[in-house]
C-alpha cells in the first residue's frame, strides 16, 4: 500500500526522533567517560603510582568507583563509597585530600573496604575530591602496592589532576547542554517546516475533496470514495498535529537557550540590526516561572531597542553569576532609551517586581557609550 505524504512525514519524524535521542545520549555518556577515564590514566602517568581510579558522585553523599587504570582485579569496579567511609568517603566529608601510608592499618579512616583493598593488593593511598562550583562531583584516587609515605608533592600533583578533571567535567556539561539545545532547535525547525508544508498540503487537499463531495450528487460510488478519502485526510491531519505536539514537548530549561536564540534572530530579521545570543556558561535548571520571566526580559529589551534606539548591534547573553543566573540585553546605542537611566520605565518596573518576588532583580542603565543594558539576575533555584 502506497504511503501518503502525512504518513511518510510521521514515519520520518519517528525515525529522526529516535536517532536524535540516541545521539544525544551517546554524546553525553562518551564525554563524561572520556573525561573520567582519562583522569584515571593521568593519575598513573603524572604521579608514578601503581594504580589510579576515579569514583563518580551518583547521588548526594555517595560515589561509585567506575574508572580504573593499573588495577589487577575487578574488586573495586562498581564499589559504592558513602560519605565518611574509607579514604574516599573521608575526602568527601572533609572536602580536601586524605592520604594514608597503609590503608588496612591506618587509624585515620574506617575500614569498610579492607577486603577489596587487600584483594587488589594496595597499600598507600591518596584520595582527592574533584570539586566543581563548590560541590564535590567525583573522587580521584592514587595507590601503591606497598606501604609508603606520600609526600606533599604527590598530594599537590593529585590536587592539580583533580582541578583538571573538574574543568573537563564542566566542559562536558556545557557540551551536553549545547547538544541538547541543538536537538531542541532542530525539533523546533522541523515542527515549523512540517506545519508550513505538510500541514498546508493536507488542508488544501481536504478543501478540494470537500468541494468535490458537495458538487457530486448523482454518483453514490464516487461519493463513498470521496467520504473515505475525506476521513483519511482528517486522520492524517490528526496524526500530524500529534507529531507536532511531540516535537514541541521540551522542558523549560532546555527550551530557554533555543528561545533566546529565536528572539535574537527574529529581532535581526525585523530590524536588520545584527543581534547575537551568547551562552556564557551552563546554568542550573529553572522552573517555568523563572524561564518565563527571563524570556519576558529579553523580549522587553529587544522591543525597547527596536522602538527607541538606533544601535549598530545587540548582544543577548546568559550565564551563571553570583550564585544565580544573569541575562543581559546590551546595545551600543545611538538613539534614546526606552526608560530613564535608573530603569523606571513601565515595562522594566513590571519585570523588576516579578523578579523581586523570586528574590531577583531587573535594572536598565545607560552606558557611557550611549547604549543601554537591561540586566536580570535570579538566584539559583537550589
Amino acid at each position: 500500500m502506497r504511503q501518503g505524504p502525512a504518513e511518510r512525514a510521521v514515519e520520518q519524524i519517528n525515525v529522526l526522533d529516535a536517532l536524535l535521542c540516541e545521539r544525544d545520549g551517546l554524546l553525553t555518556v562518551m564525554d563524561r567517560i572520556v573525561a573520567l577515564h582519562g583522569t584515571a590514566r593521568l593519575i598513573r602517568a603524572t604521579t608514578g603510582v601503581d594504580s589510579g581510579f576515579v569514583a563518580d558522585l551518583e547521588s548526594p553523599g555517595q560515589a561509585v568507583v567506575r574508572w580504573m587504570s593499573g588495577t589487577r582485579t575487578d574488586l573495586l569496579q562498581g564499589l559504592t563509597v558513602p560519605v565518611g567511609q574509607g579514604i574516599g568517603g573521608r575526602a568527601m566529608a572533609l572536602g580536601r585530600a586524605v592520604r594514608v601510608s597503609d590503608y588496612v592499618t591506618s587509624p585515620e579512616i574506617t575500614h569498610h573496604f579492607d577486603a577489596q583493598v587487600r584483594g587488589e593488593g594496595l597499600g598507600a593511598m591518596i584520595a582527592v575530591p574533584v570539586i566543581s562550583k563548590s560541590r564535590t562531583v567525583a573522587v580521584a584516587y592514587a595507590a601503591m602496592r606497598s606501604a609508603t609515605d606520600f609526600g606533599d608533592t604527590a598530594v599537590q600533583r593529585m590536587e592539580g589532576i583533580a582541578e583538571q578533571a573538574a574543568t573537563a567535567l564542566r566542559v562536558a556539561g556545557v557540551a551536553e547542554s549545547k547538544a541538547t539545545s541543538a536537538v531542541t532547535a532542530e525539533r523546533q525547525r522541523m515542527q515549523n517546516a512540517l506545519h508550513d508544508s505538510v500541514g498546508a498540503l493536507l488542508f488544501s487537499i481536504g478543501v478540494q475533496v470537500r468541494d468535490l463531495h458537495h458538487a457530486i450528487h448523482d454518483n453514490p460510488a464516487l461519493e463513498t470514495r470521496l467520504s473515505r478519502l475525506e476521513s483519511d485526510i482528517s486522520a492524517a491531519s490528526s496524526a500530524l498535529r500529534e507529531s507536532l505536539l511531540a516535537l514541541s514537548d521540551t522542558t523549560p530549561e532546555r527550551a530557554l537557550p533555543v528561545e533566546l536564540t529565536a528572539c535574537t534572530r527574529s529581532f535581526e530579521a525585523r530590524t536588520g540590526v545584527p543581534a547575537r545570543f551568547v551562552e556564557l556558561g551552563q546554568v542550573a535548571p529553572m522552573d517555568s516561572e523563572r524561564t518565563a520571566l527571563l524570556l519576558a526580559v529579553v523580549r522587553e529589551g529587544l522591543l525597547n531597542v527596536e522602538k527607541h534606539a538606533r544601535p549598530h548591534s545587540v548582544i543577548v547573553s546568559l550565564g551563571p553569576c553570583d550564585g544565580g543566573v544573569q541575562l543581559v540585553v546590551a546595545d551600543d546605542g545611538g538613539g534614546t532609551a526606552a526608560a530613564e537611566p535608573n530603569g523606571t520605565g513601565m515595562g522594566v518596573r513590571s519585570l523588576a517586581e516579578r523578579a523581586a518576588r523570586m528574590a531577583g532583580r531587573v535594572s536598565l542603565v545607560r552606558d557611557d557609550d550611549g547604549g543601554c543594558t537591561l540586566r536580570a539576575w535570579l538566584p539559583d533555584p537550589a
Side-chain angles (χ1 to χ4, degrees):
M1 181 177 176
R2 188 176 180 181
Q3 288 184 317
E7 292 172 311
R8 290 198 300 272
V10 171
E11 182 177 344
Q12 290 171 0
I13 290 171
N14 291 335
V15 171
L16 180 59
D17 196 33
L19 289 173
L20 288 173
C21 290
E22 183 177 355
R23 170 185 175 276
D24 195 33
L26 286 173
L27 282 174
T28 302
V29 173
M30 286 305 296
D31 282 347
R32 196 167 184 84
I33 286 177
V34 169
L36 294 178
H37 198 183
T39 299
R41 294 194 298 267
L42 183 63
I43 290 170
R44 292 187 68 204
T46 303
T47 63
V49 295
D50 295 320
S51 178
F53 43 99
V54 180
D56 194 8
L57 214 72
E58 293 203 342
S59 62
Q62 183 170 284
V64 179
V65 178
R66 297 209 180 280
W67 295 275
M68 297 175 289
S69 177
T71 53
R72 296 174 178 173
T73 71
D74 60 358
L75 291 172
L76 300 177
Q77 181 70 48
L79 186 66
T80 299
V81 182
V83 64
Q85 294 186 8
I87 188 171
R90 181 169 172 77
M92 282 192 285
L94 297 176
R96 59 173 175 80
V98 176
R99 52 184 161 177
V100 295
S101 58
D102 186 16
Y103 187 98
V104 295
T105 62
S106 173
E108 299 177 10
I109 59 173
T110 68
H111 291 275
H112 291 79
F113 312 113
D114 283 2
Q116 291 86 347
V117 172
R118 282 198 185 96
E120 181 59 34
L122 300 179
M125 197 176 297
I126 304 175
V128 179
V130 177
I131 300 175
S132 178
K133 298 180 180 179
S134 303
R135 183 172 63 90
T136 298
V137 295
V139 181
Y141 297 80
M144 298 294 290
R145 297 196 178 280
S146 60
T148 187
D149 290 324
F150 281 116
D152 293 340
T153 300
V155 173
Q156 291 170 2
R157 288 176 179 173
M158 283 294 293
E159 289 173 340
I161 291 171
E163 289 180 5
Q164 294 180 46
T167 301
L169 290 176
R170 284 195 294 272
V171 171
V174 171
E176 176 187 353
S177 175
K178 290 186 179 297
T180 300
S181 296
V183 169
T184 304
E186 177 62 15
R187 290 166 70 96
Q188 190 176 67
R189 187 197 65 79
M190 288 181 60
Q191 179 192 23
N192 294 334
L194 286 169
H195 178 272
D196 295 341
S197 58
V198 179
L201 178 61
L202 285 172
F203 178 78
S204 176
I205 294 173
V207 169
Q208 295 178 57
V209 169
R210 282 192 295 273
D211 289 345
L212 284 172
H213 187 76
H214 293 319
I216 295 174
H217 301 288
D218 56 354
N219 192 330
L222 185 56
E223 286 186 23
T224 300
R225 294 180 63 183
L226 286 174
S227 296
R228 186 178 300 117
L229 181 58
E230 192 172 3
S231 176
D232 290 343
I233 292 171
S234 177
S237 297
S238 297
L240 179 61
R241 284 194 297 272
E242 291 178 4
S243 298
L244 293 178
L245 287 173
L247 282 172
S248 64
D249 185 22
T250 185
T251 59
E253 63 273 13
R254 288 187 175 184
L256 181 57
V258 176
E259 290 292 338
L260 294 177
T261 301
C263 287
T264 54
R265 288 177 178 171
S266 177
F267 170 86
E268 186 175 64
R270 290 194 313 270
T271 65
V273 176
R276 188 159 62 100
F277 168 63
V278 180
E279 194 170 359
L280 299 177
Q282 189 175 16
V283 300
M286 291 174 290
D287 55 31
S288 57
E289 186 178 9
R290 287 176 169 81
T291 301
L293 174 60
L294 293 180
L295 286 174
V297 168
V298 77
R299 287 167 182 155
E300 174 72 15
L302 293 176
L303 182 61
N304 287 345
V305 173
E306 185 176 354
K307 287 182 176 180
H308 303 283
R310 295 187 297 275
H312 300 292
S313 64
V314 178
I315 297 293
V316 176
S317 62
L318 177 73
C321 177
D322 297 334
V325 58
Q326 179 171 265
L327 174 71
V328 176
V329 182
D331 68 81
D332 54 10
T336 56
E340 294 301 319
N342 62 1
T344 57
M346 183 65 71
V348 176
R349 283 206 304 270
S350 174
L351 292 170
E353 290 170 358
R354 289 173 59 184
R357 290 195 289 270
M358 305 176 200
R361 54 185 180 269
V362 172
S363 63
L364 176 64
V365 296
R366 188 186 297 278
D367 304 325
D368 293 337
D369 60 2
C372 281
T373 299
L374 178 61
R375 193 183 309 272
W377 179 87
L378 293 175
D380 190 331

